[in-house]
Amino acid sequence: MFEWKNILRGIAMGASDIIPGVSGGTIALVLGIYHRLIAAINNFFTRRWKQQLGFFIPLGLGILIAIFSLSNLLDWLLESYPQPTFFLFIGLILGTIPFLLNEADYKRKFTGKHYFLLVIGAGLVIFIGFFQEESPIMESLSIGDYVLLFFSGWFASTAMILPGVSGSFILVILGVFTTVLEAVSTVNIPVLSTVAVGVVLGIVIMSKFIQYLLHHHTTGTYAVMTGLLVGSLFVIFPGLDASFLQLIISIITLLTGLFVAITLGKIERA
């Protein structure tokens, strides 16, 4: 049976995956399907693969709809209204952190080492953020460029299924984000297919590793994930515009993102 509700979940995940700083894994966590997603990815490559189609087909359809329909809109928002847009993302992340901590049952299970792992996770994202810079669109691609795009998709896919790290953020660090975004907007098949192959292989391999960590080092894994989310807040913070109107709008978008994250979480867990 197809889980058609996953189309809406996929749209939310797809939209987040093209936003530097917000990951599809984060949205999956808010929507309450993160563990199901990881398990489904791993089971898809077993004899039980047919049982996963009802979960994956609607979810994948929603992700594709979001990526191809919202890429131009998000590109325009980030270009024209960066501060309010990033404050919306910050609100989404702030609304997600409590869910992650509750999943970890941090009040009972967190010890000093777990808070240390949280700080390490946050510090790692902040450190990586120092290398974030805009890159020009790659033209007249060489074989080396396609190899870079393949491994960029591979590394980005790890971020897509790991709450706290954005796949788009990884693409920005590797200097291919604008190239991939342009390829999505113009439907550049060679570029998209190269990145897609890297993404698929990366998800298949890294999902097994993440599932192992969640099963054998649950609390520590949640601590690191929480740290990654906290660190991403600092990375995507756009600064404050001097305009009072911009500040008011940014506060409204932040509260909107916070409200959406909390509401989605409550709805999915009702």
Side-chain angles (χ1 to χ4, degrees):
M1 180 180 294
F2 288 99
E3 301 176 37
W4 294 114
K5 190 177 181 180
N6 278 354
I7 291 182
L8 298 178
R9 292 167 173 160
I11 290 174
M13 290 179 62
S16 68
D17 275 327
I18 57 178
I19 299 169
V22 184
S23 76
T26 300
I27 300 301
L29 186 71
V30 172
L31 296 176
I33 62 169
Y34 184 71
H35 290 279
R36 173 77 174 90
L37 174 65
I38 297 299
I41 292 172
N42 288 315
N43 289 331
F44 189 75
F45 296 92
T46 67
R47 293 181 178 179
R48 294 176 291 176
W49 67 273
K50 290 183 180 180
Q51 301 173 22
Q52 316 309 317
L53 294 178
F55 176 85
F56 273 126
I57 290 178
L59 188 72
L61 181 60
I63 290 174
L64 290 175
I65 289 173
I67 289 177
F68 285 100
S69 64
L70 298 179
S71 59
N72 287 328
L73 174 61
L74 286 173
D75 191 29
W76 175 74
L77 286 173
L78 290 170
E79 180 70 27
S80 304
Y81 305 99
Q83 181 173 303
T85 304
F86 276 112
F87 268 75
L88 174 67
F89 305 156
I90 289 172
L92 288 170
I93 295 173
L94 284 173
T96 303
I97 291 175
F99 289 110
L100 192 57
L101 290 172
N102 289 332
E103 287 278 337
D105 194 9
Y106 78 102
K107 291 182 178 180
R108 291 196 311 111
K109 296 184 177 180
F110 268 30
T111 62
K113 70 176 183 180
H114 297 117
Y115 286 106
F116 176 73
L117 288 172
L118 190 155
V119 172
I120 292 297
L124 177 63
V125 174
I126 294 172
F127 175 76
I128 293 174
F130 284 122
F131 298 95
Q132 180 178 353
E133 60 180 17
E134 292 188 13
S135 56
I137 297 174
M138 301 163 63
E139 299 179 354
S140 301
L141 298 177
S142 64
I143 294 178
D145 292 328
Y146 280 107
V147 171
L148 173 61
L149 288 169
F150 169 79
F151 282 105
S152 295
W154 183 303
F155 293 132
S157 68
T158 303
M160 291 175 185
I161 59 175
L162 185 64
V165 185
S166 163
S168 297
F169 179 51
I170 298 298
L171 295 179
V172 169
I173 294 172
L174 295 174
V176 300
F177 177 71
T178 52
T179 299
V180 175
L181 191 62
E182 175 71 12
V184 172
S185 300
T186 60
V187 193
N188 186 325
I189 299 300
V191 171
L192 292 178
S193 58
T194 301
V195 175
V197 172
V199 167
V200 171
L201 290 178
I203 287 177
V204 170
I205 294 174
M206 292 308 300
S207 63
K208 296 183 182 298
F209 179 60
I210 292 172
Q211 187 174 53
Y212 170 83
L213 291 177
L214 287 171
H215 283 173
H216 296 87
H217 305 282
T218 307
T219 306
T221 302
Y222 275 120
V224 174
M225 287 180 176
T226 304
L228 296 175
L229 280 176
V230 172
S232 67
L233 290 172
F234 291 92
V235 172
I236 69 173
F237 179 68
L240 294 175
D241 191 280
S243 167
F244 179 73
L245 179 60
Q246 279 282 328
L247 178 60
I248 295 299
I249 295 174
S250 297
I251 292 174
I252 293 174
T253 56
L254 185 148
L255 294 176
T256 300
L258 186 64
F259 174 78
V260 168
I262 293 174
T263 302
L264 284 175
K266 288 183 177 180
I267 291 174
E268 291 293 334
R269 289 162 175 78

Short mmCIF file of all heavy atoms in Angstrom, two decimals, residues 6 21-22 27 32 37 62 70 75 100 104-105 107 109 114 116-117 163 205 216 219 231 236-237 252:
data_model
loop_
_atom_site.label_atom_id
_atom_site.label_comp_id
_atom_site.label_asym_id
_atom_site.label_seq_id
_atom_site.Cartn_x
_atom_site.Cartn_y
_atom_site.Cartn_z
N ASN A 6 3.21 10.60 2.30
CA ASN A 6 4.64 10.84 2.13
C ASN A 6 4.95 11.84 1.01
O ASN A 6 6.08 12.35 0.94
CB ASN A 6 5.38 9.53 1.86
CG ASN A 6 5.69 8.78 3.14
OD1 ASN A 6 5.45 9.28 4.24
ND2 ASN A 6 6.22 7.58 3.02
N GLY A 21 22.07 24.92 4.95
CA GLY A 21 21.89 25.08 6.38
C GLY A 21 20.77 24.23 6.96
O GLY A 21 20.72 24.01 8.16
N VAL A 22 19.86 23.74 6.14
CA VAL A 22 18.75 22.92 6.62
C VAL A 22 18.78 21.59 5.87
O VAL A 22 18.86 21.57 4.64
CB VAL A 22 17.39 23.61 6.39
CG1 VAL A 22 16.27 22.77 6.98
CG2 VAL A 22 17.39 25.00 7.00
N ILE A 27 14.27 17.61 8.65
CA ILE A 27 12.82 17.65 8.42
C ILE A 27 12.21 16.26 8.65
O ILE A 27 11.11 16.14 9.22
CB ILE A 27 12.51 18.14 7.00
CG1 ILE A 27 13.07 19.55 6.79
CG2 ILE A 27 11.02 18.11 6.74
CD1 ILE A 27 12.53 20.58 7.76
N GLY A 32 8.77 12.89 12.12
CA GLY A 32 8.64 11.61 12.80
C GLY A 32 8.89 10.39 11.95
O GLY A 32 8.46 9.28 12.30
N LEU A 37 12.83 6.05 7.68
CA LEU A 37 13.57 6.36 6.46
C LEU A 37 14.87 5.57 6.41
O LEU A 37 15.19 4.94 5.38
CB LEU A 37 13.85 7.85 6.39
CG LEU A 37 14.75 8.34 5.24
CD1 LEU A 37 14.07 8.09 3.90
CD2 LEU A 37 15.08 9.82 5.41
N GLY A 62 7.49 13.44 -3.96
CA GLY A 62 7.39 14.73 -3.28
C GLY A 62 8.71 15.48 -3.28
O GLY A 62 8.74 16.70 -3.49
N LEU A 70 10.59 24.44 -6.61
CA LEU A 70 10.93 25.47 -5.63
C LEU A 70 12.33 26.03 -5.78
O LEU A 70 12.67 27.01 -5.11
CB LEU A 70 10.76 24.93 -4.21
CG LEU A 70 9.34 24.50 -3.81
CD1 LEU A 70 9.34 23.97 -2.38
CD2 LEU A 70 8.37 25.67 -3.93
N ASP A 75 15.91 30.37 -4.82
CA ASP A 75 17.03 31.13 -5.35
C ASP A 75 16.69 32.63 -5.34
O ASP A 75 17.52 33.47 -4.97
CB ASP A 75 17.34 30.65 -6.77
CG ASP A 75 18.67 31.20 -7.28
OD1 ASP A 75 19.56 31.45 -6.45
OD2 ASP A 75 18.80 31.38 -8.49
N LEU A 100 14.72 16.61 18.94
CA LEU A 100 15.91 15.75 18.93
C LEU A 100 16.35 15.41 20.35
O LEU A 100 16.68 14.27 20.67
CB LEU A 100 17.04 16.44 18.17
CG LEU A 100 18.25 15.59 17.81
CD1 LEU A 100 17.82 14.38 16.99
CD2 LEU A 100 19.27 16.41 17.05
N ALA A 104 16.31 11.73 22.36
CA ALA A 104 17.48 11.20 23.06
C ALA A 104 17.23 10.99 24.54
O ALA A 104 18.05 10.38 25.23
CB ALA A 104 18.66 12.15 22.87
N ASP A 105 16.08 11.51 25.06
CA ASP A 105 15.78 11.45 26.49
C ASP A 105 16.96 12.02 27.29
O ASP A 105 17.49 11.42 28.22
CB ASP A 105 15.51 10.00 26.92
CG ASP A 105 14.87 9.91 28.30
OD1 ASP A 105 14.48 10.96 28.84
OD2 ASP A 105 14.79 8.79 28.84
N LYS A 107 17.45 14.35 29.46
CA LYS A 107 17.41 14.65 30.89
C LYS A 107 17.87 13.46 31.73
O LYS A 107 18.47 13.64 32.80
CB LYS A 107 15.99 15.06 31.30
CG LYS A 107 15.56 16.40 30.74
CD LYS A 107 14.16 16.78 31.23
CE LYS A 107 13.75 18.14 30.69
NZ LYS A 107 12.39 18.54 31.15
N LYS A 109 19.59 10.59 30.18
CA LYS A 109 20.70 9.84 29.60
C LYS A 109 21.96 10.65 29.31
O LYS A 109 23.04 10.07 29.18
CB LYS A 109 20.24 9.15 28.30
CG LYS A 109 19.15 8.11 28.53
CD LYS A 109 18.79 7.40 27.23
CE LYS A 109 17.75 6.31 27.46
NZ LYS A 109 17.39 5.61 26.21
N HIS A 114 28.43 13.29 26.76
CA HIS A 114 27.45 13.58 25.70
C HIS A 114 27.37 15.08 25.42
O HIS A 114 27.25 15.49 24.26
CB HIS A 114 26.08 13.04 26.09
CG HIS A 114 26.05 11.55 26.23
ND1 HIS A 114 25.78 10.90 27.42
CD2 HIS A 114 26.33 10.56 25.34
CE1 HIS A 114 25.85 9.60 27.25
NE2 HIS A 114 26.18 9.36 25.99
N PHE A 116 29.87 16.99 25.82
CA PHE A 116 31.14 17.24 25.12
C PHE A 116 30.99 16.93 23.64
O PHE A 116 31.45 17.69 22.78
CB PHE A 116 32.25 16.38 25.74
CG PHE A 116 33.57 16.49 25.03
CD1 PHE A 116 34.34 17.64 25.15
CD2 PHE A 116 34.03 15.46 24.23
CE1 PHE A 116 35.56 17.74 24.48
CE2 PHE A 116 35.24 15.55 23.56
CZ PHE A 116 36.01 16.70 23.69
N LEU A 117 30.34 15.80 23.32
CA LEU A 117 30.10 15.45 21.91
C LEU A 117 29.22 16.48 21.23
O LEU A 117 29.43 16.80 20.06
CB LEU A 117 29.43 14.07 21.83
CG LEU A 117 30.31 12.86 22.16
CD1 LEU A 117 29.47 11.59 22.21
CD2 LEU A 117 31.42 12.71 21.12
N PRO A 163 20.53 14.52 10.38
CA PRO A 163 20.00 15.78 10.92
C PRO A 163 21.11 16.71 11.37
O PRO A 163 22.03 16.31 12.08
CB PRO A 163 19.16 15.30 12.12
CG PRO A 163 18.78 13.91 11.79
CD PRO A 163 19.98 13.34 11.05
N ILE A 205 25.33 3.62 1.22
CA ILE A 205 26.45 3.24 2.08
C ILE A 205 26.33 3.89 3.46
O ILE A 205 26.48 3.24 4.49
CB ILE A 205 27.79 3.60 1.42
CG1 ILE A 205 27.99 2.75 0.16
CG2 ILE A 205 28.95 3.40 2.39
CD1 ILE A 205 29.19 3.12 -0.66
N HIS A 216 23.72 1.14 18.24
CA HIS A 216 24.76 0.77 19.20
C HIS A 216 25.30 1.95 20.02
O HIS A 216 25.90 1.73 21.08
CB HIS A 216 25.93 0.09 18.46
CG HIS A 216 25.55 -1.21 17.82
ND1 HIS A 216 25.03 -1.27 16.55
CD2 HIS A 216 25.60 -2.48 18.28
CE1 HIS A 216 24.79 -2.54 16.24
NE2 HIS A 216 25.12 -3.29 17.26
N THR A 219 22.63 7.37 22.29
CA THR A 219 22.69 8.66 22.99
C THR A 219 23.80 9.53 22.44
O THR A 219 23.61 10.73 22.23
CB THR A 219 22.87 8.44 24.50
OG1 THR A 219 21.83 7.57 24.99
CG2 THR A 219 22.79 9.77 25.24
N GLY A 231 25.28 24.10 15.70
CA GLY A 231 26.32 24.73 14.90
C GLY A 231 25.79 25.36 13.63
O GLY A 231 26.25 26.43 13.21
N ILE A 236 24.36 29.70 9.36
CA ILE A 236 23.41 30.32 8.44
C ILE A 236 22.92 31.68 8.93
O ILE A 236 22.17 32.35 8.22
CB ILE A 236 22.18 29.41 8.18
CG1 ILE A 236 21.31 29.28 9.43
CG2 ILE A 236 22.62 28.06 7.67
CD1 ILE A 236 20.01 28.53 9.18
N PHE A 237 23.35 32.10 10.13
CA PHE A 237 22.93 33.42 10.62
C PHE A 237 23.45 34.50 9.67
O PHE A 237 24.65 34.62 9.46
CB PHE A 237 23.48 33.66 12.03
CG PHE A 237 23.11 35.01 12.59
CD1 PHE A 237 21.79 35.29 12.91
CD2 PHE A 237 24.07 35.98 12.78
CE1 PHE A 237 21.44 36.54 13.43
CE2 PHE A 237 23.73 37.22 13.30
CZ PHE A 237 22.40 37.50 13.62
N ILE A 252 9.36 37.96 12.39
CA ILE A 252 8.12 37.27 12.01
C ILE A 252 8.42 35.96 11.30
O ILE A 252 7.80 34.92 11.58
CB ILE A 252 7.25 38.18 11.11
CG1 ILE A 252 6.74 39.38 11.91
CG2 ILE A 252 6.08 37.39 10.51
CD1 ILE A 252 6.00 40.40 11.06
#
